[in-house]
Short mmCIF file of all heavy atoms in Angstrom, two decimals:
data_model
loop_
_atom_site.label_atom_id
_atom_site.label_comp_id
_atom_site.label_asym_id
_atom_site.label_seq_id
_atom_site.Cartn_x
_atom_site.Cartn_y
_atom_site.Cartn_z
N VAL A 89 11.59 -9.27 0.37
CA VAL A 89 12.98 -8.84 0.27
C VAL A 89 13.69 -9.66 -0.80
O VAL A 89 13.58 -10.89 -0.83
CB VAL A 89 13.71 -9.01 1.63
CG1 VAL A 89 15.21 -8.74 1.49
CG2 VAL A 89 13.09 -8.08 2.68
N VAL A 90 14.39 -8.96 -1.69
CA VAL A 90 15.20 -9.62 -2.72
C VAL A 90 16.66 -9.29 -2.43
O VAL A 90 17.02 -8.11 -2.29
CB VAL A 90 14.82 -9.16 -4.13
CG1 VAL A 90 15.67 -9.91 -5.17
CG2 VAL A 90 13.33 -9.41 -4.39
N ARG A 91 17.48 -10.31 -2.35
CA ARG A 91 18.91 -10.13 -2.04
C ARG A 91 19.77 -10.61 -3.21
O ARG A 91 19.65 -11.77 -3.64
CB ARG A 91 19.28 -10.91 -0.78
CG ARG A 91 18.51 -10.49 0.48
CD ARG A 91 18.98 -11.26 1.70
NE ARG A 91 18.19 -10.94 2.88
CZ ARG A 91 18.42 -9.92 3.70
NH1 ARG A 91 19.44 -9.11 3.44
NH2 ARG A 91 17.66 -9.70 4.75
N ASN A 92 20.63 -9.73 -3.69
CA ASN A 92 21.61 -10.08 -4.71
C ASN A 92 22.99 -10.33 -4.12
O ASN A 92 23.78 -11.11 -4.67
CB ASN A 92 21.70 -8.97 -5.76
CG ASN A 92 20.39 -8.76 -6.49
OD1 ASN A 92 19.84 -9.68 -7.08
ND2 ASN A 92 19.87 -7.53 -6.45
N TYR A 93 23.27 -9.66 -3.01
CA TYR A 93 24.54 -9.78 -2.30
C TYR A 93 24.24 -9.91 -0.81
O TYR A 93 23.18 -9.49 -0.33
CB TYR A 93 25.43 -8.56 -2.53
CG TYR A 93 25.84 -8.32 -3.96
CD1 TYR A 93 24.98 -7.67 -4.85
CD2 TYR A 93 27.09 -8.73 -4.42
CE1 TYR A 93 25.35 -7.44 -6.17
CE2 TYR A 93 27.47 -8.50 -5.74
CZ TYR A 93 26.59 -7.85 -6.61
OH TYR A 93 26.97 -7.64 -7.91
N ALA A 94 25.19 -10.46 -0.06
CA ALA A 94 25.01 -10.62 1.38
C ALA A 94 25.27 -9.30 2.09
O ALA A 94 26.32 -8.68 1.91
CB ALA A 94 25.96 -11.69 1.91
N ALA A 95 24.31 -8.87 2.88
CA ALA A 95 24.44 -7.67 3.71
C ALA A 95 23.32 -7.69 4.73
O ALA A 95 22.32 -8.39 4.58
CB ALA A 95 24.38 -6.40 2.86
N GLY A 96 23.50 -6.92 5.79
CA GLY A 96 22.43 -6.80 6.77
C GLY A 96 22.18 -8.06 7.56
O GLY A 96 23.10 -8.80 7.93
N SER A 97 20.89 -8.36 7.78
CA SER A 97 20.51 -9.43 8.70
C SER A 97 20.96 -10.81 8.25
O SER A 97 21.25 -11.68 9.09
CB SER A 97 18.99 -9.43 8.90
OG SER A 97 18.32 -9.73 7.69
N ILE A 98 21.06 -11.05 6.94
CA ILE A 98 21.43 -12.39 6.48
C ILE A 98 22.88 -12.71 6.83
O ILE A 98 23.25 -13.88 7.00
CB ILE A 98 21.18 -12.55 4.96
CG1 ILE A 98 21.11 -14.04 4.60
CG2 ILE A 98 22.21 -11.80 4.13
CD1 ILE A 98 20.59 -14.32 3.21
N VAL A 99 23.71 -11.69 6.95
CA VAL A 99 25.10 -11.90 7.38
C VAL A 99 25.12 -12.39 8.82
O VAL A 99 25.84 -13.34 9.16
CB VAL A 99 25.91 -10.59 7.24
CG1 VAL A 99 27.28 -10.72 7.88
CG2 VAL A 99 26.04 -10.20 5.78
N ARG A 101 22.50 -13.81 10.44
CA ARG A 101 21.73 -15.05 10.59
C ARG A 101 22.46 -16.27 10.07
O ARG A 101 22.42 -17.34 10.68
CB ARG A 101 20.38 -14.94 9.85
CG ARG A 101 19.32 -14.13 10.57
CD ARG A 101 17.97 -14.24 9.88
NE ARG A 101 17.89 -13.46 8.66
CZ ARG A 101 17.74 -13.95 7.45
NH1 ARG A 101 17.67 -15.28 7.28
NH2 ARG A 101 17.66 -13.17 6.39
N PHE A 110 25.33 -13.67 -4.46
CA PHE A 110 24.63 -14.94 -4.52
C PHE A 110 24.56 -15.43 -5.96
O PHE A 110 24.55 -14.63 -6.91
CB PHE A 110 23.21 -14.80 -3.94
CG PHE A 110 23.19 -14.40 -2.48
CD1 PHE A 110 22.36 -13.39 -2.03
CD2 PHE A 110 24.01 -15.04 -1.57
CE1 PHE A 110 22.34 -13.03 -0.71
CE2 PHE A 110 24.00 -14.69 -0.23
CZ PHE A 110 23.16 -13.67 0.21
N SER A 112 22.15 -16.71 -7.49
CA SER A 112 20.90 -16.20 -8.06
C SER A 112 20.20 -15.39 -6.98
O SER A 112 20.44 -15.59 -5.78
CB SER A 112 19.99 -17.35 -8.55
OG SER A 112 19.69 -18.23 -7.48
N PRO A 113 19.34 -14.45 -7.36
CA PRO A 113 18.66 -13.61 -6.36
C PRO A 113 17.85 -14.46 -5.38
O PRO A 113 17.20 -15.44 -5.77
CB PRO A 113 17.75 -12.71 -7.20
CG PRO A 113 18.39 -12.70 -8.56
CD PRO A 113 18.98 -14.05 -8.74
N LEU A 114 17.90 -14.07 -4.13
CA LEU A 114 17.16 -14.76 -3.07
C LEU A 114 15.95 -13.92 -2.68
O LEU A 114 16.07 -12.73 -2.42
CB LEU A 114 18.08 -14.94 -1.85
CG LEU A 114 17.43 -15.44 -0.56
CD1 LEU A 114 16.98 -16.89 -0.72
CD2 LEU A 114 18.42 -15.32 0.60
N VAL A 115 14.78 -14.55 -2.64
CA VAL A 115 13.55 -13.87 -2.22
C VAL A 115 13.16 -14.37 -0.83
O VAL A 115 13.08 -15.58 -0.59
CB VAL A 115 12.39 -14.13 -3.21
CG1 VAL A 115 11.13 -13.39 -2.74
CG2 VAL A 115 12.76 -13.69 -4.62
N GLU A 116 12.93 -13.43 0.08
CA GLU A 116 12.51 -13.77 1.44
C GLU A 116 11.22 -13.02 1.78
O GLU A 116 10.97 -11.93 1.27
CB GLU A 116 13.58 -13.36 2.46
CG GLU A 116 14.90 -14.08 2.32
CD GLU A 116 15.95 -13.54 3.29
OE1 GLU A 116 15.89 -12.34 3.66
OE2 GLU A 116 16.83 -14.32 3.67
N TYR A 118 8.98 -11.44 5.04
CA TYR A 118 8.96 -11.03 6.44
C TYR A 118 7.54 -10.61 6.79
O TYR A 118 6.89 -9.88 6.04
CB TYR A 118 9.92 -9.85 6.67
CG TYR A 118 11.38 -10.23 6.54
CD1 TYR A 118 11.95 -10.38 5.27
CD2 TYR A 118 12.18 -10.46 7.66
CE1 TYR A 118 13.29 -10.74 5.13
CE2 TYR A 118 13.52 -10.82 7.52
CZ TYR A 118 14.06 -10.96 6.26
OH TYR A 118 15.38 -11.34 6.11
N ILE A 128 11.21 -13.05 9.86
CA ILE A 128 11.28 -13.78 8.60
C ILE A 128 10.40 -15.02 8.71
O ILE A 128 10.35 -15.68 9.75
CB ILE A 128 12.74 -14.16 8.27
CG1 ILE A 128 12.82 -14.78 6.86
CG2 ILE A 128 13.35 -15.06 9.33
CD1 ILE A 128 14.25 -14.99 6.38
N ASN A 156 13.44 -6.83 -9.61
CA ASN A 156 14.88 -6.90 -9.35
C ASN A 156 15.68 -6.74 -10.64
O ASN A 156 16.64 -5.95 -10.70
CB ASN A 156 15.23 -8.23 -8.68
CG ASN A 156 16.70 -8.33 -8.32
OD1 ASN A 156 17.24 -7.49 -7.59
ND2 ASN A 156 17.37 -9.34 -8.85
N LEU A 170 22.95 -2.98 -6.83
CA LEU A 170 21.75 -3.17 -6.01
C LEU A 170 22.02 -4.38 -5.11
O LEU A 170 21.96 -5.52 -5.57
CB LEU A 170 20.52 -3.39 -6.88
CG LEU A 170 19.21 -3.60 -6.13
CD1 LEU A 170 18.85 -2.38 -5.30
CD2 LEU A 170 18.08 -3.95 -7.10
N ILE A 171 22.32 -4.13 -3.86
CA ILE A 171 22.66 -5.20 -2.93
C ILE A 171 21.41 -5.98 -2.53
O ILE A 171 21.36 -7.20 -2.64
CB ILE A 171 23.36 -4.62 -1.68
CG1 ILE A 171 24.58 -3.80 -2.07
CG2 ILE A 171 23.72 -5.75 -0.71
CD1 ILE A 171 25.61 -4.55 -2.89
N ASP A 172 20.41 -5.28 -2.06
CA ASP A 172 19.12 -5.89 -1.71
C ASP A 172 18.07 -4.79 -1.65
O ASP A 172 18.39 -3.61 -1.70
CB ASP A 172 19.19 -6.69 -0.40
CG ASP A 172 19.63 -5.85 0.79
OD1 ASP A 172 19.23 -4.68 0.90
OD2 ASP A 172 20.38 -6.36 1.65
N PHE A 173 16.82 -5.20 -1.56
CA PHE A 173 15.75 -4.22 -1.41
C PHE A 173 14.51 -4.88 -0.86
O PHE A 173 14.35 -6.11 -0.91
CB PHE A 173 15.42 -3.52 -2.74
CG PHE A 173 14.87 -4.43 -3.82
CD1 PHE A 173 13.50 -4.56 -4.03
CD2 PHE A 173 15.73 -5.15 -4.63
CE1 PHE A 173 13.01 -5.38 -5.02
CE2 PHE A 173 15.25 -5.98 -5.63
CZ PHE A 173 13.88 -6.10 -5.83
N ARG A 197 19.44 -1.35 -0.41
CA ARG A 197 20.87 -1.16 -0.16
C ARG A 197 21.54 -0.99 -1.51
O ARG A 197 21.39 -1.83 -2.40
CB ARG A 197 21.49 -2.34 0.57
CG ARG A 197 21.33 -2.31 2.07
CD ARG A 197 22.23 -3.31 2.78
NE ARG A 197 22.01 -3.25 4.21
CZ ARG A 197 21.07 -3.97 4.84
NH1 ARG A 197 20.31 -4.80 4.17
NH2 ARG A 197 20.92 -3.85 6.15
#
Side-chain angles (χ1 to χ4, degrees):
V89 173
V90 182
R91 300 183 184 274
N92 298 304
Y93 298 82
S97 64
I98 199 168
V99 171
R101 282 189 285 115
F110 298 133
S112 59
L114 171 68
V115 180
E116 296 176 330
Y118 291 78
I128 187 171
N156 183 57
L170 180 62
I171 304 303
D172 58 38
F173 64 96
R197 276 194 181 88

